[in-house]
Amino acid sequence: MNNRSQSFTTRTGVHQHHGFQSGGAILRSLPGELVVSKQKLRRAEAIACVRLKRQEANQNLGFASRPFVLCGLPIKKPAHGELLHERRNGQFSLQVTGHPSYGLPWGQDRLIPIFLATLAIRQQSQTIQFRSAAEMLESFGMQQGGTQYRRLVAAFQRIFGATIFFGTDMQRDRAAVVHRARFNFMSEARIWYSRDADQATLPGGFQNEIILSHEFFNEIMSHPIPTDMEAAKVLSCSPAALDLFMWLSYRCFVAKGRERVPLFGDFGLVNQLGSSDYARPRKFRERLEGWLDLVRSMWPECPAAMDTTGTGLWVDRAAAVLPAGGK
């Protein structure tokens, strides 16, 4: 056993360890009888893996696109016929218009832009290829059953049909400088949904092939935002917590020091994340505390905390993704 893993016995007689252990070992070490579902055990193991890889600076690097880090997609399924979603983050504004036949992207649909941005960066190409739908499901730790495949097909339809309007407003020398872009995620897609992750191609060498729109590809390449793919995998079932993790990863990285972000108002956090349902301040604060707990479970050093008034969030400069080989 190395120096970082020294055992000791507490006053309660529970044998504990310094250092990282498996999620199962942590749960089994607790006193008394504890019934834990397989799902919770898997999540505990996954969180332990995220923390270990972070400590070793061996994270699985993925990438997100700036519009959807600064301004989240809807968390919950929009009402029938609702086709417009708007968010604002300071000088940045996001407007997403859904396709009349498929609707707005929502919930776990936000995983697809992460997947596309990651492949675009890794392959350094506007035309990206991947083997099968199973590869994407595996990337985010999702079960590979018929229900998940049908959801994936529907998610691609919503993403493909959506039109995105992303704008930046800046005030310089008393003259407003406005930069706005309207774009789609993809200009062309050929996708088949084999459940066999080991089947690289169909007869004739056919692969899943997606041509990203020129605007979306340029946005990814100009402003690649690194993220921990293992953490995204753990948070894939909690879109709001995933939004917060991605937002904090970026916000803490660009912070110049300790800074306060308001929770409410036109420039508040509630208008940045895809969580507009929480109109009552107390309800949003309760949810935010829960999301922060999930983020801290994988990023213990995350320097984000609610202020004493419950109207702002303190952040400080920090890195959620560590340089390879360093801390």
Side-chain angles (χ1 to χ4, degrees), residues 126 212-224:
Q126 187 175 344
L212 302 179
S213 70
H214 182 72
E215 296 84 359
F216 185 47
F217 178 69
N218 283 347
E219 174 62 42
I220 293 168
M221 301 305 291
S222 300
H223 305 96

Side-chain angles (χ1 to χ4, degrees), residues 24 76 87 101 111 116 119 127 163 168 175 181 187 205 248 278 300 311 317:
K76 297 181 179 180
R87 300 277 83 193
S101 299
L111 299 176
L116 297 178
L119 290 186
T127 300
T163 300
T168 305
S187 60
L248 280 171
Y278 308 112
T311 60
R317 185 165 180 81

Side-chain angles (χ1 to χ4, degrees), residues 52-110:
L52 179 60
K53 287 190 174 183
R54 174 178 168 77
Q55 184 197 40
E56 296 176 343
N58 187 31
Q59 293 159 292
N60 180 14
L61 185 62
F63 292 90
S65 52
R66 184 178 58 158
F68 309 105
V69 171
L70 297 177
C71 304
L73 291 170
I75 298 295
K76 297 181 179 180
K77 185 176 182 179
H80 180 71
E82 184 179 336
L83 295 177
L84 180 65
H85 172 74
E86 295 179 291
R87 300 277 83 193
R88 186 169 185 87
N89 184 333
Q91 66 184 21
F92 298 97
S93 60
L94 174 72
Q95 183 184 93
V96 182
T97 304
H99 190 281
S101 299
Y102 307 126
L104 282 165
W106 64 280
Q108 289 187 325
D109 295 1
R110 63 199 352 93

Side-chain angles (χ1 to χ4, degrees), residues 257-276:
R258 194 164 186 255
E259 301 172 355
R260 182 182 178 276
V261 179
L263 298 187
F264 309 104
D266 293 340
F267 299 100
L269 183 60
V270 73
N271 285 325
Q272 299 170 28
L273 305 178
S275 51
S276 57

Side-chain angles (χ1 to χ4, degrees), residues 1-8 16-21:
M1 189 173 292
N2 59 34
N3 293 333
R4 290 182 304 182
S5 183
Q6 300 172 349
S7 62
F8 68 98
Q16 298 185 354
H17 294 266
H18 287 303
F20 287 90
Q21 304 176 71

Side-chain angles (χ1 to χ4, degrees), residues 116-143:
L116 297 178
T118 298
L119 290 186
I121 294 294
R122 290 178 180 176
Q123 298 177 16
Q124 290 290 294
S125 173
Q126 187 175 344
T127 300
I128 59 176
Q129 296 180 335
F130 58 101
R131 296 181 302 169
S132 66
E135 181 179 343
M136 180 178 168
L137 294 176
E138 173 62 25
S139 295
F140 294 103
M142 300 167 70
Q143 295 181 355

Side-chain angles (χ1 to χ4, degrees), residues 7-28:
S7 62
F8 68 98
T9 303
T10 66
R11 292 181 181 178
T12 60
V14 180
H15 197 65
Q16 298 185 354
H17 294 266
H18 287 303
F20 287 90
Q21 304 176 71
S22 69
I26 293 171
L27 292 172
R28 287 190 293 271

